[in-house]
mmCIF file of all heavy atoms in Angstrom:
data_model
loop_
_atom_site.group_PDB
_atom_site.id
_atom_site.type_symbol
_atom_site.label_atom_id
_atom_site.label_comp_id
_atom_site.label_asym_id
_atom_site.label_seq_id
_atom_site.Cartn_x
_atom_site.Cartn_y
_atom_site.Cartn_z
ATOM 1 N N ALA A 1 92.392 -5.666 -13.491
ATOM 2 C CA ALA A 1 92.352 -6.170 -12.112
ATOM 3 C C ALA A 1 90.906 -6.293 -11.625
ATOM 4 O O ALA A 1 90.538 -7.276 -10.967
ATOM 5 C CB ALA A 1 93.140 -5.227 -11.194
ATOM 6 N N GLU A 2 90.105 -5.306 -11.978
ATOM 7 C CA GLU A 2 88.686 -5.318 -11.599
ATOM 8 C C GLU A 2 87.967 -6.487 -12.271
ATOM 9 O O GLU A 2 87.173 -7.198 -11.640
ATOM 10 C CB GLU A 2 88.041 -3.993 -12.016
ATOM 11 C CG GLU A 2 86.559 -3.889 -11.680
ATOM 12 C CD GLU A 2 85.944 -2.592 -12.198
ATOM 13 O OE1 GLU A 2 86.686 -1.714 -12.699
ATOM 14 O OE2 GLU A 2 84.702 -2.477 -12.131
ATOM 15 N N GLY A 3 88.248 -6.680 -13.567
ATOM 16 C CA GLY A 3 87.604 -7.761 -14.302
ATOM 17 C C GLY A 3 87.977 -9.133 -13.778
ATOM 18 O O GLY A 3 87.138 -10.038 -13.704
ATOM 19 N N ILE A 4 89.243 -9.298 -13.407
ATOM 20 C CA ILE A 4 89.702 -10.572 -12.832
ATOM 21 C C ILE A 4 89.047 -10.806 -11.473
ATOM 22 O O ILE A 4 88.580 -11.914 -11.175
ATOM 23 C CB ILE A 4 91.239 -10.573 -12.702
ATOM 24 C CG1 ILE A 4 91.875 -10.600 -14.101
ATOM 25 C CG2 ILE A 4 91.713 -11.780 -11.883
ATOM 26 C CD1 ILE A 4 93.374 -10.363 -14.097
ATOM 27 N N LYS A 5 88.990 -9.774 -10.666
ATOM 28 C CA LYS A 5 88.389 -9.878 -9.339
ATOM 29 C C LYS A 5 86.916 -10.255 -9.416
ATOM 30 O O LYS A 5 86.412 -11.043 -8.609
ATOM 31 C CB LYS A 5 88.547 -8.546 -8.595
ATOM 32 C CG LYS A 5 88.033 -8.576 -7.160
ATOM 33 C CD LYS A 5 88.269 -7.238 -6.480
ATOM 34 C CE LYS A 5 87.746 -7.276 -5.042
ATOM 35 N NZ LYS A 5 87.958 -5.971 -4.360
ATOM 36 N N GLU A 6 86.215 -9.692 -10.403
ATOM 37 C CA GLU A 6 84.783 -9.966 -10.562
ATOM 38 C C GLU A 6 84.520 -11.289 -11.275
ATOM 39 O O GLU A 6 83.364 -11.710 -11.398
ATOM 40 C CB GLU A 6 84.123 -8.835 -11.352
ATOM 41 C CG GLU A 6 84.089 -7.509 -10.606
ATOM 42 C CD GLU A 6 83.471 -6.395 -11.429
ATOM 43 O OE1 GLU A 6 83.179 -6.651 -12.623
ATOM 44 O OE2 GLU A 6 83.270 -5.298 -10.899
ATOM 45 N N GLY A 7 85.589 -11.925 -11.759
ATOM 46 C CA GLY A 7 85.430 -13.189 -12.449
ATOM 47 C C GLY A 7 85.008 -13.040 -13.900
ATOM 48 O O GLY A 7 84.617 -14.011 -14.555
ATOM 49 N N ARG A 8 85.115 -11.839 -14.434
ATOM 50 C CA ARG A 8 84.721 -11.582 -15.825
ATOM 51 C C ARG A 8 85.876 -11.861 -16.782
ATOM 52 O O ARG A 8 85.656 -12.174 -17.955
ATOM 53 C CB ARG A 8 84.236 -10.142 -15.988
ATOM 54 C CG ARG A 8 83.095 -9.754 -15.068
ATOM 55 C CD ARG A 8 82.572 -8.360 -15.353
ATOM 56 N NE ARG A 8 81.808 -8.329 -16.601
ATOM 57 C CZ ARG A 8 80.518 -8.603 -16.681
ATOM 58 N NH1 ARG A 8 79.851 -8.954 -15.589
ATOM 59 N NH2 ARG A 8 79.887 -8.540 -17.834
ATOM 60 N N PHE A 9 87.101 -11.722 -16.280
ATOM 61 C CA PHE A 9 88.293 -11.989 -17.091
ATOM 62 C C PHE A 9 89.052 -13.180 -16.511
ATOM 63 O O PHE A 9 89.023 -13.407 -15.292
ATOM 64 C CB PHE A 9 89.235 -10.781 -17.103
ATOM 65 C CG PHE A 9 88.673 -9.544 -17.749
ATOM 66 C CD1 PHE A 9 89.193 -8.290 -17.444
ATOM 67 C CD2 PHE A 9 87.638 -9.618 -18.675
ATOM 68 C CE1 PHE A 9 88.680 -7.145 -18.034
ATOM 69 C CE2 PHE A 9 87.131 -8.479 -19.271
ATOM 70 C CZ PHE A 9 87.651 -7.234 -18.945
ATOM 71 N N ARG A 10 89.735 -13.905 -17.374
ATOM 72 C CA ARG A 10 90.573 -15.007 -16.913
ATOM 73 C C ARG A 10 91.773 -14.460 -16.142
ATOM 74 O O ARG A 10 92.177 -13.315 -16.335
ATOM 75 C CB ARG A 10 91.030 -15.837 -18.102
ATOM 76 C CG ARG A 10 89.877 -16.582 -18.787
ATOM 77 C CD ARG A 10 90.276 -17.089 -20.145
ATOM 78 N NE ARG A 10 91.313 -18.110 -20.059
ATOM 79 C CZ ARG A 10 91.918 -18.631 -21.120
ATOM 80 N NH1 ARG A 10 91.610 -18.205 -22.336
ATOM 81 N NH2 ARG A 10 92.837 -19.551 -20.976
ATOM 82 N N LYS A 11 92.364 -15.316 -15.323
ATOM 83 C CA LYS A 11 93.436 -14.862 -14.429
ATOM 84 C C LYS A 11 94.800 -14.860 -15.125
ATOM 85 O O LYS A 11 95.669 -15.692 -14.849
ATOM 86 C CB LYS A 11 93.482 -15.731 -13.178
ATOM 87 C CG LYS A 11 92.274 -15.549 -12.274
ATOM 88 C CD LYS A 11 92.390 -16.379 -11.001
ATOM 89 C CE LYS A 11 91.181 -16.156 -10.103
ATOM 90 N NZ LYS A 11 91.272 -16.966 -8.841
ATOM 91 N N PHE A 12 94.978 -13.905 -16.010
ATOM 92 C CA PHE A 12 96.280 -13.681 -16.629
ATOM 93 C C PHE A 12 96.995 -12.580 -15.861
ATOM 94 O O PHE A 12 96.370 -11.799 -15.130
ATOM 95 C CB PHE A 12 96.127 -13.246 -18.086
ATOM 96 C CG PHE A 12 95.672 -14.345 -19.008
ATOM 97 C CD1 PHE A 12 94.428 -14.286 -19.613
ATOM 98 C CD2 PHE A 12 96.497 -15.433 -19.283
ATOM 99 C CE1 PHE A 12 94.007 -15.293 -20.469
ATOM 100 C CE2 PHE A 12 96.086 -16.440 -20.144
ATOM 101 C CZ PHE A 12 94.834 -16.370 -20.735
ATOM 102 N N ASP A 13 98.312 -12.506 -16.035
ATOM 103 C CA ASP A 13 99.075 -11.420 -15.436
ATOM 104 C C ASP A 13 98.589 -10.100 -16.043
ATOM 105 O O ASP A 13 98.507 -9.953 -17.271
ATOM 106 C CB ASP A 13 100.563 -11.626 -15.745
ATOM 107 C CG ASP A 13 101.453 -10.620 -15.020
ATOM 108 O OD1 ASP A 13 101.307 -9.408 -15.285
ATOM 109 O OD2 ASP A 13 102.296 -11.052 -14.229
ATOM 110 N N VAL A 14 98.268 -9.136 -15.181
ATOM 111 C CA VAL A 14 97.742 -7.850 -15.640
ATOM 112 C C VAL A 14 98.708 -7.159 -16.598
ATOM 113 O O VAL A 14 98.284 -6.562 -17.590
ATOM 114 C CB VAL A 14 97.420 -6.937 -14.439
ATOM 115 C CG1 VAL A 14 97.114 -5.510 -14.908
ATOM 116 C CG2 VAL A 14 96.238 -7.487 -13.664
ATOM 117 N N LYS A 15 100.004 -7.244 -16.319
ATOM 118 C CA LYS A 15 100.996 -6.607 -17.192
ATOM 119 C C LYS A 15 100.959 -7.207 -18.597
ATOM 120 O O LYS A 15 101.111 -6.500 -19.593
ATOM 121 C CB LYS A 15 102.398 -6.747 -16.591
ATOM 122 C CG LYS A 15 102.617 -5.939 -15.326
ATOM 123 C CD LYS A 15 104.032 -6.114 -14.806
ATOM 124 C CE LYS A 15 104.256 -5.294 -13.542
ATOM 125 N NZ LYS A 15 105.628 -5.474 -13.011
ATOM 126 N N ASP A 16 100.741 -8.530 -18.678
ATOM 127 C CA ASP A 16 100.661 -9.186 -19.980
ATOM 128 C C ASP A 16 99.414 -8.727 -20.734
ATOM 129 O O ASP A 16 99.450 -8.537 -21.957
ATOM 130 C CB ASP A 16 100.630 -10.708 -19.813
ATOM 131 C CG ASP A 16 101.958 -11.272 -19.332
ATOM 132 O OD1 ASP A 16 102.990 -10.604 -19.535
ATOM 133 O OD2 ASP A 16 101.961 -12.375 -18.745
ATOM 134 N N LEU A 17 98.322 -8.547 -20.017
ATOM 135 C CA LEU A 17 97.080 -8.099 -20.643
ATOM 136 C C LEU A 17 97.209 -6.677 -21.187
ATOM 137 O O LEU A 17 96.740 -6.376 -22.286
ATOM 138 C CB LEU A 17 95.927 -8.173 -19.628
ATOM 139 C CG LEU A 17 95.502 -9.586 -19.213
ATOM 140 C CD1 LEU A 17 94.503 -9.519 -18.058
ATOM 141 C CD2 LEU A 17 94.903 -10.337 -20.392
ATOM 142 N N ILE A 18 97.871 -5.821 -20.416
ATOM 143 C CA ILE A 18 98.091 -4.440 -20.863
ATOM 144 C C ILE A 18 98.948 -4.427 -22.117
ATOM 145 O O ILE A 18 98.651 -3.727 -23.097
ATOM 146 C CB ILE A 18 98.780 -3.605 -19.756
ATOM 147 C CG1 ILE A 18 97.884 -3.479 -18.528
ATOM 148 C CG2 ILE A 18 99.137 -2.205 -20.280
ATOM 149 C CD1 ILE A 18 98.593 -2.908 -17.310
ATOM 150 N N THR A 19 100.010 -5.233 -22.111
ATOM 151 C CA THR A 19 100.912 -5.306 -23.259
ATOM 152 C C THR A 19 100.174 -5.815 -24.490
ATOM 153 O O THR A 19 100.349 -5.285 -25.600
ATOM 154 C CB THR A 19 102.104 -6.230 -22.954
ATOM 155 O OG1 THR A 19 102.825 -5.698 -21.828
ATOM 156 C CG2 THR A 19 103.044 -6.323 -24.150
ATOM 157 N N ALA A 20 99.346 -6.840 -24.313
ATOM 158 C CA ALA A 20 98.592 -7.400 -25.433
ATOM 159 C C ALA A 20 97.609 -6.378 -25.998
ATOM 160 O O ALA A 20 97.489 -6.231 -27.222
ATOM 161 C CB ALA A 20 97.840 -8.650 -24.980
ATOM 162 N N LEU A 21 96.914 -5.668 -25.132
ATOM 163 C CA LEU A 21 95.955 -4.662 -25.582
ATOM 164 C C LEU A 21 96.660 -3.534 -26.333
ATOM 165 O O LEU A 21 96.244 -3.148 -27.430
ATOM 166 C CB LEU A 21 95.185 -4.081 -24.388
ATOM 167 C CG LEU A 21 94.168 -2.980 -24.725
ATOM 168 C CD1 LEU A 21 93.058 -3.537 -25.607
ATOM 169 C CD2 LEU A 21 93.578 -2.383 -23.449
ATOM 170 N N ASN A 22 97.726 -3.011 -25.741
ATOM 171 C CA ASN A 22 98.487 -1.941 -26.398
ATOM 172 C C ASN A 22 99.034 -2.398 -27.742
ATOM 173 O O ASN A 22 99.029 -1.650 -28.721
ATOM 174 C CB ASN A 22 99.655 -1.493 -25.508
ATOM 175 C CG ASN A 22 99.191 -0.721 -24.291
ATOM 176 O OD1 ASN A 22 98.030 -0.320 -24.213
ATOM 177 N ND2 ASN A 22 100.075 -0.515 -23.349
ATOM 178 N N GLY A 23 99.507 -3.631 -27.775
ATOM 179 C CA GLY A 23 100.092 -4.162 -28.993
ATOM 180 C C GLY A 23 99.107 -4.203 -30.148
ATOM 181 O O GLY A 23 99.418 -3.757 -31.251
ATOM 182 N N ILE A 24 97.917 -4.714 -29.894
ATOM 183 C CA ILE A 24 96.939 -4.855 -30.978
ATOM 184 C C ILE A 24 96.419 -3.491 -31.431
ATOM 185 O O ILE A 24 96.159 -3.278 -32.616
ATOM 186 C CB ILE A 24 95.771 -5.785 -30.555
ATOM 187 C CG1 ILE A 24 94.971 -6.205 -31.793
ATOM 188 C CG2 ILE A 24 94.877 -5.144 -29.518
ATOM 189 C CD1 ILE A 24 93.947 -7.296 -31.511
ATOM 190 N N ILE A 25 96.291 -2.544 -30.498
ATOM 191 C CA ILE A 25 95.831 -1.197 -30.868
ATOM 192 C C ILE A 25 96.888 -0.475 -31.699
ATOM 193 O O ILE A 25 96.631 0.008 -32.799
ATOM 194 C CB ILE A 25 95.510 -0.352 -29.618
ATOM 195 C CG1 ILE A 25 94.313 -0.920 -28.862
ATOM 196 C CG2 ILE A 25 95.228 1.110 -30.019
ATOM 197 C CD1 ILE A 25 94.067 -0.265 -27.504
ATOM 198 N N HIS A 26 98.095 -0.413 -31.160
ATOM 199 C CA HIS A 26 99.144 0.388 -31.783
ATOM 200 C C HIS A 26 99.682 -0.243 -33.068
ATOM 201 O O HIS A 26 100.108 0.477 -33.973
ATOM 202 C CB HIS A 26 100.257 0.662 -30.777
ATOM 203 C CG HIS A 26 99.783 1.403 -29.570
ATOM 204 N ND1 HIS A 26 99.027 2.555 -29.663
ATOM 205 C CD2 HIS A 26 99.919 1.165 -28.239
ATOM 206 C CE1 HIS A 26 98.730 2.986 -28.449
ATOM 207 N NE2 HIS A 26 99.253 2.156 -27.575
ATOM 208 N N ALA A 27 99.620 -1.571 -33.163
ATOM 209 C CA ALA A 27 100.054 -2.224 -34.399
ATOM 210 C C ALA A 27 99.133 -1.832 -35.552
ATOM 211 O O ALA A 27 99.598 -1.600 -36.678
ATOM 212 C CB ALA A 27 100.062 -3.740 -34.227
ATOM 213 N N HIS A 28 97.839 -1.752 -35.293
ATOM 214 C CA HIS A 28 96.902 -1.307 -36.323
ATOM 215 C C HIS A 28 97.225 0.127 -36.755
ATOM 216 O O HIS A 28 97.226 0.448 -37.943
ATOM 217 C CB HIS A 28 95.459 -1.366 -35.795
ATOM 218 C CG HIS A 28 94.775 -2.665 -36.046
ATOM 219 N ND1 HIS A 28 95.051 -3.801 -35.313
ATOM 220 C CD2 HIS A 28 93.834 -3.022 -36.959
ATOM 221 C CE1 HIS A 28 94.301 -4.795 -35.753
ATOM 222 N NE2 HIS A 28 93.550 -4.354 -36.750
ATOM 223 N N ALA A 29 97.486 0.979 -35.760
ATOM 224 C CA ALA A 29 97.769 2.387 -36.061
ATOM 225 C C ALA A 29 99.060 2.538 -36.858
ATOM 226 O O ALA A 29 99.109 3.283 -37.845
ATOM 227 C CB ALA A 29 97.858 3.178 -34.768
ATOM 228 N N VAL A 30 100.102 1.829 -36.452
ATOM 229 C CA VAL A 30 101.396 1.912 -37.132
ATOM 230 C C VAL A 30 101.267 1.459 -38.583
ATOM 231 O O VAL A 30 101.790 2.102 -39.500
ATOM 232 C CB VAL A 30 102.453 1.048 -36.405
ATOM 233 C CG1 VAL A 30 103.726 0.964 -37.237
ATOM 234 C CG2 VAL A 30 102.772 1.654 -35.041
#
């Protein structure tokens, strides 16, 4: 949310971004 507000991140749904981040991290671990 901070990154989107500052214009550093593109305006994607925050929930989708969290899911994508968790997915790539945990998939590597699994």
Side-chain angles (χ1 to χ4, degrees):
E2 180 184 353
I4 292 170
K5 184 178 180 180
E6 293 178 354
R8 304 185 73 87
F9 296 158
R10 293 165 66 186
K11 292 183 179 180
F12 288 113
D13 187 298
V14 170
K15 291 181 180 179
D16 290 337
L17 291 172
I18 296 169
T19 300
L21 178 64
N22 289 348
I24 195 171
I25 294 171
H26 300 310
H28 270 76
V30 171

